[in-house]
Amino acid sequence: MKILCIDGGGIRGVFAVAILQAIENEYKKPIGDLFDMVAGTSTGSIIASSVSIKVEMTSVLKNYKEFGGKIFDRQAKVGLFKSIYSDKYLRRFFHQAFGERSLADVTKPLLIPAVDVTHGRPFVHRSNYGNKDTKDLTIKLWDAVLSSCSAPVYFPPNNINNHYLSIDGGLWANNPSLVCLTEALEYFKVDLKEMKILSIGTGLQKIDFTIQKNKYWGVKQWLPFQLPFMKVTPKLLDLALQLSSESVSYQCQHLLGDNYLRLNKELGEEVPFDDITCMEDLIQLGRVVFDERKEEISSFLNIEPNR
């Protein structure tokens, strides 16, 4: 069973899209035809959902470029009294990308981690492939994606039919590989030896928490302000998401060995998930990663690269 998992990471998702676009161009097949199950968290849920309904990665990349600047247009500088960003353009982006499809309309196995913050528990949106743990297939695909993308402080929680509020799945499964591994074991009854996971990150940041003379740390250290505009940097959130992803990668590599292929790259600096100025550099970096690891990818997919 071949599984595709895509991390969260905000605008850095273009790194993963660029890799998948290069794979489509190389093998002349939709990404969805190459995998039996797909999963994505936060920005990864946008990409995974697009894969599940066979949207070309070129189109996905175009949408990121079109909506990125609009989505990350601040309505608050700090986020003390309202979310830093409105979800207006997120909703518009997702409506355009997924239309009125519900989870019932998606038959390819698709998993989208999110958090039910009203009841304080993690959960997974599942598409229509027969799992009895699936709670509600009437939920629109765009709504499930919005749930997984609603990072606390930065976006408002997503209200699911007035039943509960949902926030970013990255809080517990920023790298959804273990979610898929568990699903493959429990529902599909696939042995670990028969499972292959391609896991794509959104870049490894060099997040600097330098030792300071002031031993009393507060908001200013965890969420630094950029003066004079008091623009807050999501440093602590980025660190938490990166640690979550890399710990899951470590565990999956031990469980699956060579059947777990992780594609990621050191960024050499901090690239906050809302920094739209880095999009082109991240896209180019994704293409570099594909070129560097083309043979590994071909071996994993068990198909010959296009000559």
Side-chain angles (χ1 to χ4, degrees), residues 19-219:
I19 292 174
L20 294 173
Q21 182 189 39
I23 292 174
E24 282 191 337
N25 291 341
E26 184 70 27
Y27 304 111
K28 307 302 180 187
K29 291 183 178 181
I31 293 296
D33 287 352
L34 302 175
F35 295 92
D36 304 302
M37 178 163 61
V38 294
T41 302
S42 195
T43 196
S45 71
I46 304 170
I47 304 164
S49 296
S50 300
V51 168
S52 73
I53 60 173
K54 294 190 178 182
V55 177
E56 291 184 354
M57 291 298 104
T58 298
S59 177
V60 176
L61 196 57
K62 180 181 177 183
N63 280 335
Y64 267 84
K65 290 179 179 180
E66 178 183 348
F67 284 96
K70 298 174 182 177
I71 290 168
F72 293 112
D73 181 23
R74 291 177 177 251
Q75 64 172 356
K77 292 183 174 66
V78 180
L80 294 178
F81 303 107
K82 62 179 178 179
S83 59
I84 294 174
Y85 301 112
S86 166
D87 63 1
K88 178 176 69 173
Y89 283 104
L90 269 181
R91 290 174 177 272
R92 191 170 297 178
F93 177 7
F94 300 158
H95 269 126
Q96 179 174 309
F98 306 120
E100 290 302 311
R101 289 182 183 83
S102 67
L103 292 173
D105 298 321
V106 182
T107 55
K108 189 173 195 68
L110 167 68
L111 285 76
I112 301 175
V115 174
D116 175 352
V117 72
T118 300
H119 301 98
R121 58 173 181 254
F123 72 97
V124 179
H125 288 295
R126 292 176 172 88
S127 59
N128 189 16
Y129 56 91
N131 191 322
K132 293 180 180 179
D133 290 336
T134 302
K135 300 299 182 184
D136 187 358
L137 287 170
T138 66
I139 293 174
K140 300 297 185 184
L141 180 58
W142 68 262
D143 217 3
V145 172
L146 181 60
S147 294
S148 192
C149 289
S150 297
V153 179
Y154 295 92
F155 291 105
N158 188 30
N159 186 328
I160 302 293
N161 299 327
N162 288 322
H163 294 154
Y164 59 90
L165 296 176
S166 180
I167 60 174
D168 195 338
L171 295 179
W172 69 280
N174 199 56
N175 175 348
S177 294
L178 278 178
V179 176
C180 286
L181 188 151
T182 303
E183 191 78 0
L185 285 172
E186 292 191 358
Y187 176 72
F188 290 101
K189 308 301 180 186
V190 176
D191 188 87
L192 283 176
K193 295 179 181 178
E194 299 172 342
M195 199 183 306
K196 299 180 74 173
I197 296 179
L198 175 61
S199 172
I200 305 181
T202 55
L204 287 165
Q205 298 187 76
K206 184 179 180 181
I207 301 176
D208 180 24
F209 284 102
T210 302
I211 297 174
Q212 300 177 0
K213 291 181 181 179
N214 181 5
K215 65 179 180 179
Y216 301 106
W217 279 51
V219 172

Side-chain angles (χ1 to χ4, degrees), residues 11 64-65 67-73 85 231 271-282:
I11 202 63
Y64 267 84
K65 290 179 179 180
F67 284 96
K70 298 174 182 177
I71 290 168
F72 293 112
D73 181 23
Y85 301 112
K231 177 182 177 182
V271 182
F273 71 82
D274 58 350
D275 188 353
I276 61 173
T277 66
C278 295
M279 275 198 287
E280 288 302 327
D281 288 341
L282 288 164

